[in-house]
Amino acid sequence: MGRIPEYAVLIHTFDGYAFAWDGFVQGWKDSRMDFLNAGIPVYWGSDVKSSNNPPFTPIYSGKGEWSDRLKLLLKIIPSHTIFYMQEDHWPKKGIYLDFFYQIFRNLNLKRLQVSPVNQFYTLYGGELPLFFHEKAKSKYLIAHNPSFWDKSFLISVLENGQSPWQHEYEATCKLWECPQSIRKKIAIYPCDWYHHAVEKGKLTQVK
């Protein structure tokens, strides 16, 4: 048996969002994400097989609710750390994932988000990365922006039958009950490197 890679990329999608696939693949290629991150396993995790599969390693969950499908996909991937993103996060600038992975590993984080900061986040810290405050009412402790995750932590915060919106809200609320367990464990490294391409089920204009 070969060595298990330290981390892998999971691009999470389903056939209902196939209209976003071509744009994602084009962004991945144009930003040279494949070249900058050569050798890192990249999984295309969908629900069912398609004749239009993008050029990544395909894995399938079968039909079901969002959280159930994601949990099945995570269990297929052997790596213990996952860089999770969705098909509507179209890369517009290439990044070296290993740079962020080293931060994630060295700080022993549970989640490291790589995205712009917005006004809903409650953050602290004097240098990068910034930490999400663990206090009650701190929003988006769990979020689906591109992030490195401890896979076991991600699986632990997934409940059966959740939509993505339920998962972000309900899992965040649950973490408020044990703030010390996540103190300086969930962080963000501000980086404007992708376009959020779908809003309310429709493609948005590329910025």
Side-chain angles (χ1 to χ4, degrees):
M1 181 179 294
R3 177 175 170 271
I4 295 175
E6 292 188 59
Y7 65 93
V9 176
L10 171 60
I11 303 155
H12 189 201
T13 187
F14 78 117
D15 65 345
Y17 265 45
F19 64 87
W21 294 358
D22 288 345
F24 180 93
V25 172
Q26 194 63 50
W28 188 272
K29 291 179 177 178
D30 289 350
S31 63
R32 305 189 78 200
M33 283 293 289
D34 49 353
F35 174 78
L36 295 173
N37 301 286
I40 298 170
V42 181
Y43 294 92
W44 184 261
S46 191
D47 51 349
V48 294
K49 292 183 179 181
S50 168
S51 59
N52 187 32
N53 271 333
F56 307 108
T57 300
I59 55 176
Y60 305 103
S61 63
K63 296 287 188 179
E65 187 49 85
W66 181 89
S67 63
D68 304 318
R69 291 188 284 109
L70 176 55
K71 192 178 295 187
L72 286 167
L73 294 172
L74 291 170
K75 291 179 178 179
I76 294 171
I77 299 171
S79 300
H80 298 299
T81 300
I82 301 293
F83 185 73
Y84 175 89
M85 59 190 304
Q86 297 177 338
E87 78 292 282
D88 61 349
H89 297 142
W90 293 3
K92 62 182 183 180
K93 181 178 71 172
I95 58 173
Y96 285 101
L97 291 176
D98 199 59
F99 169 79
F100 300 101
Y101 172 68
Q102 296 304 325
I103 295 171
F104 174 87
R105 185 180 67 175
N106 292 340
L107 294 177
N108 194 28
L109 299 174
K110 294 183 182 294
R111 183 170 82 89
L112 175 62
Q113 183 169 316
V114 184
S115 80
V117 171
N118 69 43
Q119 71 271 24
F120 300 111
Y121 300 158
T122 306
L123 305 170
Y124 67 95
E127 58 185 30
L128 299 180
L130 302 174
F131 296 99
F132 282 83
H133 209 298
E134 65 276 3
K135 67 181 181 180
K137 307 305 179 184
S138 179
K139 297 180 179 179
Y140 296 106
L141 296 174
I142 300 299
H144 305 140
N145 306 74
S147 301
F148 276 97
W149 288 84
D150 177 299
K151 186 173 73 171
S152 62
F153 173 68
L154 177 51
I155 291 174
S156 76
V157 297
L158 286 167
E159 300 289 344
N160 294 338
Q162 287 178 315
S163 70
W165 304 278
Q166 285 176 311
H167 178 243
E168 287 187 328
Y169 178 74
E170 293 173 0
T172 292
C173 292
K174 190 173 182 179
L175 290 179
W176 295 341
E177 300 171 4
C178 47
Q180 289 306 312
S181 70
I182 57 167
R183 178 168 172 75
K184 291 190 173 182
K185 294 296 183 183
I186 299 175
I188 183 170
Y189 198 107
C191 184
D192 185 13
W193 69 282
Y194 65 91
H195 166 62
H196 192 185
V198 178
E199 292 181 6
K200 298 180 180 179
K202 296 182 178 181
L203 291 177
T204 61
Q205 185 174 357
V206 177
K207 299 176 182 178

